[in-house]
Amino acid sequence: MILVTGGTGLVGSHLLFKLVSNNEHVRATFRREKTLARVKHVFSYFSDNPEALFNKIEWIEAEINDIPKLQEAFIDITNVYHCAAFVSFEPDKYRILRKVNIKGTANIVNLCIANRIKKLCYVSSIAAIGHHNNPEKLIDEKTAWNPEDDNSVYAITKYGAELEVWRGSQEGLDTVIVNPGIILGGGFWKGGSSGNLFKQIYNGMRYFVNGITGYVDVWDVVSIMYQLMQSSIKNESFILVSENLSFKTFQTKTANALNVKPPLKEAKPWLLQIAWRLDWLQFKILGKRRSLSKQNAKSAISITKYDNSKLKNVLNFEFKPINKSINEVSKLYLNDI
């Protein structure tokens, strides 16, 4: 039987659809019962009978740091997809990020070892990959992480989680790690998901930024995860990026797909410097949640281009063009609203 942690998230829900569609026996964890509706909603995009597919899943309520519940979830499990994570770039959320992403992953790794799990697939992020000083040089899996960089709290904890997975591999656990770029998929239009970008663009964005980063379709991510778990590949990590695009290009393409006006004003670096400081002041004085950290402002204008050749060569995989992904997800968003 297969265990999927974080089954109610963007990657987890799409992965579950793929697994049950392939007649795999699946168990999945969730934290709150109300989030199960998200999975059914995602299933409804791609099936005329989503309820039947959903009912094939054995669900178990388990927090990532609730060891007794996790032990119950691991009964009769042979393979694990660890998708559960906390996504936030707010500096004040560092403790909960560590608790969920690092300590939680350590728990999963320890239980995999204790239960002699055949293979673990961990969903990390390009945030956990190192960066070059040369913005035109492609970043690959060998690019060294520099702890002295001004890394975001999210990046720090995802990197720490990867260290726990590599520890597991040294203790005999077969593992694969995937490092997706910004994952484009439907059904999650709020919070830290990329779906919130579609919502923001639809509602109108005044400013664009010229930073560059990597994007990937959610179906590419789950397909690659499945293929890696079915293969003999072990103890390797893979960057999952279809294309490197500027934020301006992504915003414009998405606005066109949503039939709204794209942002026309550039947010200059000096403006972003002022903005993140004002955001910090509002947090300190008024207690408002952070919406723009220093690291976010920096990444908005940073040029980070990723090399996907390792994955493409190993699996002979062709990524979905991002333009197609944008159109597909935009259509789902418009249907939902």
Side-chain angles (χ1 to χ4, degrees):
M1 179 176 274
I2 295 169
L3 174 65
V4 177
T5 70
T8 60
L10 176 63
V11 174
S13 59
H14 285 77
L15 175 63
L16 286 172
F17 183 87
K18 181 174 182 63
L19 292 173
V20 295
S21 297
N22 288 349
N23 295 315
E24 300 281 5
H25 297 290
V26 184
R27 181 180 297 147
T29 66
F30 69 98
R31 291 192 304 118
R32 297 185 301 274
E33 189 171 353
K34 66 179 182 180
T35 61
L36 295 175
R38 301 175 187 170
V39 183
K40 293 182 182 180
H41 186 58
V42 168
F43 282 21
S44 71
Y45 289 151
F46 314 108
S47 172
D48 293 330
N49 195 356
E51 194 76 26
L53 288 175
F54 180 86
N55 290 335
K56 289 183 178 181
I57 302 165
E58 180 185 326
W59 289 97
I60 183 166
E61 187 175 0
E63 294 275 354
I64 198 68
N65 286 296
D66 186 343
I67 302 300
K69 276 290 187 179
L70 287 178
Q71 288 175 327
E72 182 182 341
F74 267 80
I75 295 173
D76 297 326
I77 295 298
T78 58
N79 293 280
V80 176
Y81 291 89
H82 180 31
C83 307
F86 181 60
V87 181
S88 175
F89 295 90
E90 300 175 65
D92 60 302
K93 297 293 192 295
Y94 181 61
R95 289 188 177 181
I96 187 172
L97 281 161
R98 284 192 61 90
K99 183 178 180 181
V100 175
N101 294 344
I102 299 179
K103 184 180 177 183
T105 300
N107 293 336
I108 296 299
V109 169
N110 292 339
L111 285 166
C112 283
I113 294 170
N115 289 276
R116 300 182 183 276
I117 297 302
K118 292 180 180 178
K119 200 170 188 179
L120 165 68
C121 177
Y122 173 57
V123 183
S124 185
S125 166
I126 53 171
I129 302 288
H131 295 91
H132 294 300
N133 291 326
N134 180 358
E136 295 306 315
K137 186 178 180 181
L138 292 179
I139 295 167
D140 62 21
E141 291 82 358
K142 294 181 180 179
T143 304
W145 169 272
N146 184 359
E148 300 302 319
D149 281 347
D150 189 16
N151 300 297
S152 71
V153 288
Y154 175 68
I156 292 169
T157 58
K158 292 300 280 187
Y159 177 74
E162 285 194 13
L163 294 181
E164 293 295 337
V165 177
W166 292 129
R167 170 183 63 82
S169 70
Q170 293 175 344
E171 296 181 33
L173 173 64
D174 288 350
T175 65
V176 286
I177 294 177
V178 293
N179 296 88
I182 295 177
I183 304 172
L184 305 183
F188 295 80
W189 313 118
K190 297 180 181 179
S193 171
S194 65
N196 191 41
L197 293 172
F198 288 81
K199 180 181 178 181
Q200 290 178 356
I201 293 170
Y202 180 80
N203 289 334
M205 296 183 74
R206 294 178 60 192
Y207 295 95
F208 66 83
V209 289
N210 284 313
I212 295 176
T213 193
Y215 297 81
V216 65
D217 189 271
V218 67
W219 286 116
D220 282 348
V221 175
V222 301
S223 177
I224 289 167
M225 291 167 63
Y226 187 73
Q227 289 184 52
L228 288 172
M229 289 290 274
Q230 296 291 313
S231 74
S232 61
I233 298 166
K234 62 180 181 180
N235 305 334
E236 296 279 356
S237 64
F238 298 92
I239 289 173
L240 308 189
V241 164
S242 172
E243 298 176 39
N244 297 297
L245 295 176
S246 71
F247 294 113
K248 179 185 178 182
T249 299
F250 174 78
Q251 289 170 295
T252 301
K253 286 179 178 291
T254 303
N256 291 337
L258 293 170
N259 297 313
V260 297
K261 292 182 179 180
L264 300 176
K265 296 181 180 180
E266 180 183 0
K268 300 288 187 179
W270 63 265
L271 183 60
L272 290 169
Q273 291 295 314
I274 294 173
W276 77 255
R277 286 174 169 85
L278 288 175
D279 184 80
W280 178 82
L281 277 174
Q282 288 184 325
F283 167 72
K284 286 294 184 180
I285 297 172
L286 303 176
K288 290 187 176 181
R289 287 188 61 178
R290 298 294 302 274
S291 60
L292 181 67
S293 68
K294 178 183 178 182
Q295 293 77 19
N296 288 142
K298 178 183 175 182
S299 66
I301 56 174
S302 297
I303 298 175
T304 48
K305 298 180 180 179
Y306 296 89
D307 183 356
N308 62 11
S309 60
K310 179 180 177 182
L311 185 281
K312 290 178 73 173
N313 292 335
V314 167
L315 293 184
N316 192 27
F317 190 87
E318 288 299 324
F319 286 92
K320 181 187 295 185
I322 289 302
N323 207 47
K324 184 176 181 181
S325 299
I326 289 173
N327 289 334
E328 290 176 353
V329 177
S330 295
K331 184 177 180 180
L332 293 176
Y333 180 76
L334 292 173
N335 287 338
D336 276 353
I337 64 171

